[in-house]
């Protein structure tokens, strides 16, 4: 079940949608705790029901043969006890549901302190964090008090219910004994049979607290399951999500002269943006009616004031932002063509369009050779080698334990490979390749500092932001995408390192789109898209697209 839910959670960027739109709380807790509770409790109840069924069959005939009215009394007593238990514990389901949520919120707050320890320490925000955590804990504690009170009331009734059955069968059968119709041993026999059958009929009474907690778990998993289904359903479409993103494969076998060379008239088109309007989820317009084309090695710099929509535009190109309307078409080479040398002055070969919306294919963007570098790179949990291989390659079976490598060892935990993606991946870099890339991005010192490529650390903590950004460029050089999207990816670097990294990706033949504020970035780009803050009262476009040489800021920076 864990494997099944994780696959759906990570499919089609569902995890990103749930996080960005706050669709559901604590999905991690639902996958870990709720699934564990559900499977364990389901197994326990299944065995209990099976035992109760066997017990009921064994003793019903005995009790009915002794005194049929006693069987009727038993049914009435068990049904009445069940009804009273449901009445007394009617609030337990919602209280258990809330308790799961509030405890998960409290744990998440503690995790946030661990993840942002340095920032909190710099701000001196310990008192604020303490107050926020205490508020979350107080909320969980108050709900627990209500849960304990409701459980206490139910427990009082359950104990009285359990004690009363000790005398109930004897009281019913006693008149027959005094009348001489039955022997004394029959009273003990009837009491034993009565207790067995009543216990079988009273499963709800005896297990109501566990059942209410189980019901809360089912509610949370059901809610989670509905959200995953709605997000992963084929053809699912949010009315707000109107930006259409599609990928087209460049067929390099077309458009050749008879001698095998490319005609030198036009560049290879990589990106076509047409009538793109970018909005926030609340329908506030950020960019109006944007249209332009990017060709191979037409490196684009996106500038503008903070909050104007630059990062939202880059997210739209990456397939992470769909609020607005318009179309974005990304033209990429098949993986086999990425390393082929090609001139910047060649005609655009024929294109075979797949017209697939990115949400319909897991890993589509990475497999098609488009990589996004955020300002704060993501550091995976693993070795230095895994940091460099992410996200194009995984360790797969190389790092599996000996037990996991055995035949038939938990096959449901072994994820089936996507043949399409595997075929399109470039050859996995060797250790020498990784070491060379580290030296190229000025991170060779990490090998001696952390004892080689296979050391494991909390990399987001032990590496500075500048080192993390250089490591992200190392990933970029290894994967060699057709198009790179850089969101202030050199903001923590000095100008010398920034210049070196841009020269490296230029030499690698990677076309890139950058967001940045430094004037020094102009010299590494050929086109500039300037976005200004949108005026809600105006219908005029709030952007300009031109060659870098035509931008007055570029001229000023050269003086």
């Amino acid at each position: 079940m864990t494997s099944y839910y994780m696959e759906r959670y990570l499919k089609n960027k569902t995890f990103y949608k749930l996080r960005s739109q706050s669709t559901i709380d604590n999905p991690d807790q639902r996958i870990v705790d709720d699934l564990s509770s559900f499977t364990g409790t389901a197994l326990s109840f299944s065995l209990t029901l099976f035992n109760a069924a066997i017990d009921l069959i064994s003793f019903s005939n005995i009790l009915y043969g002794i005194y049929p009215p006693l069987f009727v009394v038993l049914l009435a007593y068990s049904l009445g006890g069940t009804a009273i238990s449901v009445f007394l514990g009617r609030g337990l389901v919602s209280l258990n549901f809330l308790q799961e949520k509030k405890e998960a919120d409290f744990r998440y707050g503690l995790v946030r302190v661990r993840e942002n320890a340095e920032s909190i320490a710099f701000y001196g925000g310990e008192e604020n964090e303490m107050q926020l955590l205490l508020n979350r804990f107080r909320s969980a504690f108050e709900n627990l008090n209500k849960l304990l009170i409701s459980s206490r009331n139910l427990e009082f009734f359950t104990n009285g219910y359990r004690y009363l059955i000790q005398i109930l069968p004897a009281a019913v059968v006693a008149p027959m004994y005094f009348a001489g119709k039955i022997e004394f041993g029959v009273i003990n026999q009837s009491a034993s049979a009565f207790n067995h059958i009543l216990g079988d009929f009273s499963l709800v009474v005896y297990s109501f607290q566990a059942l209410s907690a189980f019901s809360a778990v089912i509610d949370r998993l059901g809610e989670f399951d509905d959200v995953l289904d709605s997000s992963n359903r084929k053809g699912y479409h949010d009315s707000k999500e109107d930006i259409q993103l599609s990928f087209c494969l460049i067929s390099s076998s077309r458009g050749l002269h008879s001698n095998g060379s490319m005609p030198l008239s036009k560049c290879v088109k990589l990106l076509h943006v047409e009538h793109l309007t970018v909005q926030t989820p609340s329908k506030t317009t950020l960019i109006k009616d944007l249209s332009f084309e990017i060709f191979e090695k037409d490196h684009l710099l996106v500038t503008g004031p903070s909050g104007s929509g630059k990062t939202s535009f880059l997210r739209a190109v990456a397939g992470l932002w769909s609020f607005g309307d318009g179309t974005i078409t990304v033209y990429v080479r098949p993986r086999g063509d990425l390393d082929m040398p090609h001139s910047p002055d060649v005609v655009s070969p024929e294109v075979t369009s797949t017209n697939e919306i990115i949400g319909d294919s897991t890993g589509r963007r990475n497999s098609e050779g488009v990589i996004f570098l955020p300002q704060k790179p993501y550091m995976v949990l693993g070795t230095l080698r895994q940091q460099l291989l992410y996200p194009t390659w995984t360790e797969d079976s190389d790092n599996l334990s000996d037990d996991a490598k055995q035949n038939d060892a938990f096959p449901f935990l072994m994820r089936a490979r996507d043949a399409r993606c595997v075929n399109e991946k470039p050859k996995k870099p060797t250790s020498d390749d990784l070491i060379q890339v580290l030296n190229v991005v000025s991170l060779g010192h990490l090998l001696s500092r952390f004892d080689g490529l296979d050391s494991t650390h909390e990399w987001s903590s032990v590496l500075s932001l500048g080192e993390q950004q250089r490591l992200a460029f190392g990933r970029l050089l290894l994967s060699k995408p057709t198009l790179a999207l850089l969101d202030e990816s050199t903001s923590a670097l000095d100008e010398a390192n920034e210049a070196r990294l841009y020269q490296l990706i230029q030499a690698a033949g990677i076309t890139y789109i950058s967001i940045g504020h430094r004037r020094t970035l102009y010299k590494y780009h050929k086109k500039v898209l300037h976005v200004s803050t949108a005026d809600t009262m105006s219908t005029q476009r709030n952007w300009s697209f031109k060659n870098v040489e035509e931008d007055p800021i570029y001229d000023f920076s050269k003086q």
Side-chain angles (χ1 to χ4, degrees):
M1 287 190 72
T2 299
S3 177
Y4 171 68
Y5 272 89
M6 282 197 303
E7 183 172 359
R8 296 164 67 205
Y9 179 55
L10 296 174
K11 185 178 180 181
N12 294 338
K13 300 180 179 62
T14 301
F15 64 96
Y16 177 79
K17 296 175 184 176
L18 300 187
R19 179 69 179 88
S20 60
Q21 300 175 21
S22 300
T23 309
I24 201 169
D25 66 273
N26 303 300
D28 50 313
Q29 186 259 357
R30 297 175 192 244
I31 292 175
V32 178
D33 292 341
D34 289 347
L35 281 179
S36 175
S37 178
F38 174 81
T39 52
T41 309
L43 176 61
S44 175
F45 278 142
S46 297
L47 294 175
T48 300
L49 287 173
F50 177 77
N51 290 332
I54 298 298
D55 206 46
L56 188 62
I57 294 172
S58 302
F59 286 94
S60 292
N61 189 49
I62 296 175
L63 185 63
Y64 193 82
I66 294 173
Y67 190 42
L70 186 57
F71 197 83
V72 176
V73 171
L74 183 149
L75 288 177
Y77 187 71
S78 61
L79 290 175
T82 301
I84 296 174
S85 296
V86 171
F87 175 77
L88 292 176
R90 61 190 183 280
L92 282 176
V93 174
S94 59
L95 288 173
N96 277 292
F97 185 97
L98 288 174
Q99 191 66 24
E100 294 277 351
K101 178 184 183 303
K102 292 178 184 296
E103 289 182 1
D105 288 343
F106 176 58
R107 283 197 301 269
Y108 180 69
L110 291 171
V111 171
R112 290 279 296 169
V113 172
R114 184 186 66 189
E115 291 178 343
N116 299 278
E118 185 177 59
S119 299
I120 295 170
F122 271 128
Y123 275 110
E126 294 86 352
E127 289 296 327
N128 299 70
E129 292 299 322
M130 184 67 178
Q131 190 60 44
L132 291 172
L133 289 172
L134 281 177
N135 287 340
R136 291 195 170 195
F137 178 75
R138 188 179 298 111
S139 178
F141 185 75
E142 290 172 353
N143 189 79
L144 180 61
N145 275 335
K146 298 177 182 177
L147 184 61
L148 289 174
I149 292 171
S150 184
S151 299
R152 178 201 63 191
N153 296 337
L154 180 63
E155 192 69 22
F156 281 160
F157 169 75
T158 304
N159 286 334
Y161 180 88
R162 185 178 289 112
Y163 289 135
L164 187 58
I165 63 174
Q166 304 299 322
I167 62 172
L168 185 61
V172 174
V173 179
M176 295 181 64
Y177 169 73
F178 289 117
K181 295 181 180 179
I182 60 174
E183 297 180 357
F184 184 78
V186 177
I187 297 179
N188 291 332
Q189 188 180 22
S190 64
S192 176
F194 186 92
N195 287 335
H196 274 277
I197 298 175
L198 186 62
D200 301 333
F201 277 125
S202 302
L203 285 179
V204 174
V205 178
Y206 295 152
S207 308
F208 194 86
Q209 292 191 49
L211 285 170
S212 62
F214 186 47
S215 178
V217 167
I218 292 176
D219 285 345
R220 288 178 60 80
L221 283 178
E223 185 181 37
F224 188 41
D225 197 75
D226 290 342
V227 171
L228 294 180
D229 279 343
S230 64
S231 183
N232 288 316
R233 188 180 302 121
K234 190 172 182 62
Y236 172 74
H237 183 73
D238 192 313
S239 60
K240 294 182 180 178
E241 298 185 352
D242 295 322
I243 296 177
Q244 298 300 313
L245 175 64
S246 57
F247 287 92
C248 297
L249 294 177
I250 300 172
S251 175
S252 57
S253 62
R254 307 291 184 88
L256 297 173
H257 283 316
S258 58
N259 61 1
S261 64
M262 291 281 189
L264 305 178
S265 58
K266 295 183 179 179
C267 296
V268 178
K269 185 192 297 184
L270 294 184
L271 178 67
H272 184 198
V273 177
E274 188 173 9
H275 302 299
L276 176 67
T277 297
V278 180
Q279 297 177 327
T280 65
S282 59
K283 290 294 187 180
T284 301
T285 299
L286 299 173
I287 302 176
K288 301 177 181 178
D289 197 27
L290 176 63
S291 296
F292 67 88
E293 294 178 337
I294 290 294
F295 294 86
E296 193 171 45
K297 297 189 179 180
D298 267 354
H299 311 302
L300 173 66
L301 175 64
V302 184
T303 65
S306 178
S308 57
K310 304 185 300 298
T311 300
S312 297
F313 162 69
L314 218 59
R315 287 171 179 163
V317 177
L320 302 181
W321 194 273
S322 300
F323 301 106
D325 58 68
T327 59
I328 300 174
T329 306
V330 181
Y331 301 89
V332 291
R333 297 177 181 276
R335 280 294 188 183
D337 294 341
L338 290 179
D339 296 327
M340 294 175 57
H342 40 268
S343 167
D345 300 317
V346 296
V347 69
S348 177
E350 280 193 30
V351 169
T352 305
S353 174
T354 61
N355 275 338
E356 289 189 62
I357 298 174
I358 194 170
D360 291 338
S361 178
T362 302
R364 164 70 70 180
R365 174 163 47 89
N366 287 339
S367 67
E368 299 293 9
V370 181
I371 286 186
F372 181 81
L373 266 64
Q375 184 176 9
K376 178 71 170 67
Y378 174 63
M379 297 287 106
V380 301
L381 300 174
T383 63
L384 184 58
R385 181 190 306 273
Q386 289 172 309
Q387 303 302 322
L388 290 166
L389 296 178
Y390 184 86
T392 309
W393 302 274
T394 58
E395 289 294 280
D396 293 332
S397 60
D398 295 340
N399 286 344
L400 292 177
S401 65
D402 292 337
D403 292 337
K405 289 179 180 179
Q406 295 177 0
N407 292 332
D408 302 324
F410 306 112
F412 54 88
L413 295 180
M414 305 300 292
R415 177 178 171 81
R417 295 189 182 185
D418 187 335
R420 175 181 175 280
C421 293
V422 171
N423 291 336
E424 291 180 349
K425 285 183 180 179
K427 183 179 179 181
K428 189 174 181 178
T430 63
S431 295
D432 290 338
D433 295 331
L434 301 182
I435 293 172
Q436 182 181 0
V437 165
L438 283 175
N439 290 323
V440 164
V441 297
S442 305
L443 289 177
H445 62 279
L446 296 182
L447 295 172
S448 57
R449 178 179 166 190
F450 297 112
D451 300 324
L453 291 170
D454 296 313
S455 57
T456 301
H457 295 275
E458 186 67 40
W459 298 104
S460 59
S461 300
V462 300
L463 298 181
S464 68
L465 182 56
E467 289 173 323
Q468 293 177 43
Q469 289 185 343
R470 279 180 279 164
L471 190 62
F473 272 87
R475 295 171 177 170
L476 190 64
L477 293 170
L478 286 168
S479 57
K480 298 177 183 177
T482 307
L483 184 65
L485 309 175
L486 314 179
D487 185 8
E488 299 190 57
S489 302
T490 58
S491 60
L493 300 178
D494 57 273
E495 293 183 4
N497 268 308
E498 179 182 74
R500 177 174 175 78
L501 292 177
Y502 271 102
Q503 289 166 2
L504 285 171
I505 59 177
Q506 283 181 356
I510 300 171
T511 303
Y512 50 84
I513 301 175
S514 304
I515 290 178
H517 299 284
R518 293 178 182 173
R519 291 181 177 181
T520 53
L521 290 174
Y522 277 77
K523 66 180 71 173
Y524 314 117
H525 297 79
K526 293 186 178 181
K527 304 287 184 180
V528 58
L529 171 65
H530 181 77
V531 181
S532 58
T533 304
D535 183 359
T536 56
M537 305 301 294
S538 173
T539 58
Q540 298 296 319
R541 68 185 191 185
N542 62 322
W543 55 272
S544 63
F545 180 80
K546 62 184 71 173
N547 293 324
V548 165
E549 294 81 3
E550 300 172 3
D551 195 297
I553 297 180
Y554 175 75
D555 295 335
F556 178 80
S557 66
K558 293 194 297 182
Q559 295 177 358

